[in-house]
Amino acid sequence: MEVARQARAHVARLDLSAAQVAVLDGQAHTARALWNLLHEYCTFRQGRLASVKDCDAAIRRARREIDWMGRLPAEAAQAVLRTYRQAWANFFDPGHPAKRPGFKSRSRSRMAVDVPQGRDLNIARLNRRWGAVNLPKVGRVRFRWTRDLPGVTRGGPAGRITGARLVKDAFGWQIVFRTEAVVAAAPIAHRGRHLALSDGTTREHGDWLTSREKERLRRLEKKSARQRRTRSPGRPASKRLARTYDRIARLRATAKRRALNWQHQTTTELARTYGVVVVEDLPIMNMVRSATGTVERPGQNVRQKAGLNRAITGQAWGRTVILLGYKARDRGGLVVKVPAPGTSQTCHRCGHRDPAARVRIRYACVNSACGWAGHADTNAAINIRNAAGTAVSGRGDLGAARSAKRQPPHAA
């Protein structure tokens, strides 16, 4: 049987001492400073962009002449150079949405350090809950063991660890393992029945934050606004403002973790149960565009549109479809996308299309010969099923109880 190599990422929480946290913080700040130095070196040169050879020579010279540059391991410094060059390649690619690379702010950039080589990690499982890994200039560190890693666990999946990336969020430092698993080139065909959401079946979830957490977040955002008003222009943020930002970031990270947990559980269940899933190919980037407009032509209902944009981005529909896509492929399933225009305004029974037939989450066909009425998403799901030419249907959010186009979603 033919085999293929499948690249995946696995996130695990690190258990660090205060001294180890300080070392990783120093490495992350050095990596950010190195990015800024590379950007200055490349953009302020006369003529063409500096070559990789010139940049590598500049990094080596800086590591010899600047003491604090030695805090960053040499391999991590080379990873910064590769990432920076790739950012320019993405910018020059006409089909890539990447913007022009710029300087990284100390307060707004994400703290991260690359470990490009997986052979030096020496990963081992200590017990049911914990594993251990070697980190450059940090030493032996424990991490939370939540799943078997390819090529590490005896009797586990075949493959290897190709590298890792250390990332810091509001909860602390985490390690993202880059794994390469060996799988069958052609997965066994999924024998489960097709996913049919046109009958009203949904996958529900509540709000990512409780009412008390929402109120706390609102108070912290108002507090940060007051603290920003008292800051003099051009002065760095005070320690009090930084603490407020940290509390806001922790609440938002909590919401993201809960959303990711629900998305992973739901998409895994759907991929295991159904063989084919059809989703609406929603233009999410167009849907969340700002309505502020210009000075000459100001936008309308800007605050309402901003609230809708926050609701849409909070649901992360695109991430749900991505997770479902690779999980369905791993199990021999299929995810099909159909064009979105007209699915919510067309009657699935008679085919009559009229925007007035839809009012919020209710759809009532205006064709007197038909008169079908029901949930708007159910009607759209049947249209998606018919467009795909299968007995399968779904919404862009896999059965959201509210429309993506007119109402902020609260269910999926």
Side-chain angles (χ1 to χ4, degrees):
M1 180 179 61
E2 295 184 3
V3 296
R5 297 191 177 274
Q6 185 181 79
R8 290 286 185 268
H10 173 61
V11 184
R13 177 168 55 88
L14 292 174
D15 183 28
L16 302 172
S17 65
Q20 291 172 332
V21 170
V23 172
L24 284 182
D25 287 350
Q27 291 185 13
H29 287 306
T30 304
R32 176 190 54 81
L34 177 59
W35 173 287
N36 291 338
L37 290 174
L38 280 172
H39 188 61
E40 182 178 5
Y41 178 73
C42 291
T43 55
F44 283 85
R45 288 167 56 94
Q46 298 293 332
R48 62 181 179 86
L49 190 68
S51 65
V52 176
K53 181 178 180 180
D54 294 338
C55 292
D56 180 66
I59 291 176
R60 294 176 184 274
R61 185 168 57 253
R63 289 177 61 84
R64 291 194 301 267
E65 298 175 356
I66 304 176
D67 294 337
W68 53 264
M69 289 288 290
R71 295 184 301 185
L72 187 66
E75 291 183 348
Q78 293 298 318
V80 173
L81 173 58
R82 286 193 296 270
T83 305
Y84 179 76
R85 298 293 301 190
Q86 185 61 46
W88 277 108
N90 295 339
F91 171 69
F92 289 126
D93 185 358
H96 202 285
K99 297 181 180 179
R100 180 186 177 90
F103 291 103
K104 289 190 175 183
S105 168
R106 181 185 178 92
S107 59
R108 295 184 180 181
S109 60
R110 191 176 190 182
M111 299 179 67
V113 180
D114 267 311
V115 185
Q117 301 296 333
R119 61 176 181 267
D120 299 328
L121 293 174
N122 293 327
I123 304 170
R125 187 168 187 175
L126 302 178
N127 50 46
R128 186 171 63 89
R129 295 179 178 272
W130 294 98
V133 60
N134 286 346
L135 300 181
K137 296 183 180 292
V138 178
R140 196 70 171 167
V141 176
R142 296 199 312 167
F143 67 91
R144 191 72 168 85
W145 191 283
T146 57
R147 61 173 296 182
D148 292 335
L149 297 173
V152 177
T153 308
R154 180 178 299 178
R160 63 193 182 101
I161 305 296
T162 60
R165 183 174 174 85
L166 309 175
V167 180
K168 188 176 185 180
D169 62 7
F171 291 94
W173 281 96
Q174 301 178 81
I175 184 169
V176 184
F177 293 106
R178 291 190 287 267
T179 67
E180 190 178 77
V182 179
V183 298
I188 300 175
H190 196 291
R191 300 183 181 276
R193 61 188 177 87
H194 288 176
L195 171 63
L197 295 180
S198 56
D199 59 356
T201 303
T202 59
R203 299 296 184 269
E204 305 287 340
H205 70 75
D207 294 332
W208 306 131
L209 294 177
T210 64
S211 57
R212 294 185 62 181
E213 289 171 334
K214 289 181 181 178
E215 178 62 20
R216 186 184 175 203
L217 179 60
R218 186 186 69 85
R219 290 178 180 274
L220 287 173
E221 288 176 341
K222 292 180 64 176
K223 182 179 180 180
S224 67
R226 292 194 301 268
Q227 292 172 335
R228 287 197 302 269
R229 285 196 297 267
T230 60
R231 185 179 63 176
S232 301
R235 296 294 299 277
S238 64
K239 292 185 178 180
R240 291 182 178 180
L241 179 57
R243 285 197 296 268
T244 304
Y245 282 154
D246 290 341
R247 292 169 183 169
I248 292 174
R250 189 173 182 85
L251 282 172
R252 290 177 176 170
T254 299
K256 183 177 180 180
R257 282 193 171 191
R258 291 171 182 170
L260 270 172
N261 179 62
W262 179 87
Q263 287 175 318
H264 273 294
Q265 291 186 5
T266 303
T267 53
T268 300
E269 174 207 350
L270 296 176
R272 286 174 177 172
T273 307
Y274 305 111
V276 179
V277 182
V278 180
V279 298
E280 192 175 27
D281 191 9
L282 292 172
I284 300 176
M285 295 301 296
N286 295 337
M287 294 169 61
V288 296
R289 283 181 178 174
S290 175
T292 54
T294 62
V295 176
E296 296 77 13
R297 301 181 61 182
Q300 298 179 353
N301 298 325
V302 176
R303 292 179 64 87
Q304 292 86 339
K305 183 62 169 63
L308 178 60
N309 290 349
R310 286 194 297 269
I312 292 175
T313 54
Q315 296 299 315
W317 297 332
R319 186 171 61 205
T320 302
V321 176
I322 291 173
L323 295 177
L324 181 60
Y326 80 78
K327 291 179 181 181
R329 288 193 302 270
D330 291 349
R331 294 164 176 83
L334 179 65
V335 174
V336 180
K337 294 184 179 181
V338 300
T343 55
S344 62
Q345 299 175 356
T346 304
C347 177
H348 72 275
R349 178 176 294 178
C350 66
H352 182 75
R353 180 173 178 177
D354 191 341
R358 167 145 195 186
V359 180
R360 296 182 180 272
I361 63 172
R362 186 72 177 171
Y363 186 91
C365 183
V366 297
N367 185 4
S368 57
C370 176
W372 184 90
H375 200 290
D377 284 347
T378 301
N379 173 72
I382 300 175
N383 286 328
I384 296 172
R385 175 199 64 190
N386 297 337
T390 67
V392 188
S393 63
R395 291 290 292 160
D397 196 17
L398 301 178
R402 290 177 180 262
S403 169
K405 301 176 182 177
R406 297 198 180 185
Q407 287 291 323
H410 296 289

